Amino acid sequence: MAAHGDEEPTNRGDTAGTGPGPEVWRLVHPRHGTLEVAVGGPAQLRTVDPGFPRKTKEDDDTDVDDSAPITPGYVLLRDGDVVARAHQVGNHKVSISGDPPDRGKFTGNLSVLSGPRVQMRSSAFATAVRQVTFREGSEVVHFDPPPGSAAETRLEAIAASPWKRVVYPVAAGVGKSGWAIAMIVLLPLIGRLLSPILDWIAERIPDIDIPWPDISLPSIPWPDISLPTINLPEVNVPGWVEFLLEYSKVWVPLLVGVAIAVVAVRHSRKSRRIKREWESAGEVQE
């Protein structure tokens, strides 16, 4: 990491935690200095943050086995100083101006909604970081991904092709509705496969006749209230509306995914524009 004089990380996999040093996401901000997010296992993170905790749980008296495969954590640094720590990556929002955690402690608030903050987006099972973004007011700027990482390869592919700048975020957003589509397609199939098995089991379960007692409950004379009848007009719903109502579990997540993709495309364009403005104004020096 540049802030500590270490060599650049050489990890080339899609997950952190396999190389000698952490993967480092980096942004040089003209007002807030150099911001870095180091991602990796405990042993890797201690190369840039000796105070990274050695325990996975506060009530666990055993040290973490640094050689064991675990989900990666991260350390947020500002000009080389620790700002925040987390034992596992996730969709977090971390302040860059809050009080840093004590040595051997993790940051408590990972959902900051205001002020200058770093926003992280991770994979579905929290095994890798997909994107790191700096946000302050309307300013949205993406961090540079770790050199040689899968994220850098993806970014280079997007930069080389204008249509991929739209297709990649849209595909990622639409993918969020995949679980709903899969459930609608797979559940009927699973039901058909399990039905013969359940019938076979049901045929072999003996009938059990339990002599439940016959209890006579008192009858309550409820009043008979006549309500007026309202004749509602008959409405013929178009076929496409019936289709949407019947398959709302598909199109609603799909619509949400497209909306997320549109926001991602806008943020990506805004990030590139802000970085160009910084460079043209000479505010950023590597």
Side-chain angles (χ1 to χ4, degrees):
M1 184 179 301
H4 292 266
D6 297 334
E7 295 181 357
E8 294 289 351
T10 57
N11 297 355
R12 292 186 175 273
D14 191 36
T15 59
T18 57
E23 291 189 341
V24 180
W25 296 73
R26 188 168 183 262
L27 174 67
V28 180
H29 196 282
R31 299 187 306 276
H32 299 294
T34 300
L35 303 175
E36 295 171 305
V37 176
V39 182
Q44 294 174 313
L45 294 177
R46 287 189 201 106
T47 63
V48 298
D49 175 19
F52 192 85
R54 291 183 174 271
K55 297 179 181 179
T56 56
K57 297 180 181 179
E58 293 183 358
D59 57 351
D60 188 359
D61 294 332
T62 60
D63 287 346
V64 174
D65 182 2
D66 292 343
S67 63
I70 60 172
T71 54
Y74 66 89
V75 176
L76 171 61
L77 301 108
R78 180 179 179 182
D79 290 332
D81 296 326
V82 174
V83 174
R85 302 187 190 101
H87 74 281
Q88 183 175 352
V89 300
N91 296 323
H92 298 163
K93 301 178 183 69
V94 184
S95 173
I96 68 168
S97 57
D99 294 331
D102 295 332
R103 183 182 180 91
K105 300 294 183 180
F106 290 115
T107 300
N109 187 4
L110 301 177
S111 301
V112 177
L113 301 178
S114 62
R117 60 198 182 275
V118 172
Q119 181 173 329
M120 178 186 300
R121 184 171 65 84
S122 67
S123 59
F125 298 101
T127 58
V129 176
R130 296 292 183 229
Q131 190 176 66
V132 180
T133 306
F134 172 82
R135 303 198 65 165
E136 183 180 16
S138 61
E139 188 176 74
V140 179
V141 188
H142 295 324
F143 279 53
D144 295 328
S149 66
E152 183 186 52
T153 302
R154 178 177 178 274
L155 186 63
E156 291 175 350
I158 293 176
S161 177
W163 70 273
K164 287 183 180 180
R165 297 174 188 172
V166 177
V167 172
Y168 274 37
V170 169
V174 172
K176 296 180 183 295
S177 66
W179 63 269
I181 298 174
M183 288 299 98
I184 290 177
V185 173
L186 294 178
L187 282 181
L189 179 61
I190 295 174
R192 292 178 184 178
L193 293 176
L194 292 180
S195 181
I197 299 175
L198 295 177
D199 292 341
W200 181 85
I201 295 174
E203 291 175 357
R204 284 154 179 79
I205 295 178
D207 294 333
I208 301 175
D209 187 11
I210 300 177
W212 298 106
D214 187 9
I215 301 175
S216 298
L217 297 176
S219 177
I220 301 175
W222 297 107
D224 187 9
I225 301 175
S226 299
L227 298 176
T229 302
I230 301 176
N231 296 323
L232 297 175
E234 183 178 353
V235 179
N236 294 323
V237 179
W240 63 271
V241 175
E242 293 182 356
F243 174 83
L244 291 180
L245 292 175
E246 184 176 358
Y247 294 98
S248 61
K249 291 183 179 180
V250 174
W251 68 264
V252 169
L254 186 64
L255 184 62
V256 172
V258 172
I260 293 174
V262 171
V263 173
V265 172
R266 292 181 60 185
H267 285 175
S268 179
R269 291 174 178 172
K270 184 180 238 183
S271 174
R272 292 195 300 271
R273 176 177 58 79
I274 292 175
K275 284 186 175 181
R276 287 195 300 267
E277 292 175 355
W278 288 352
E279 292 174 358
S280 62
E283 294 180 326
V284 174
Q285 297 181 356
E286 296 293 340

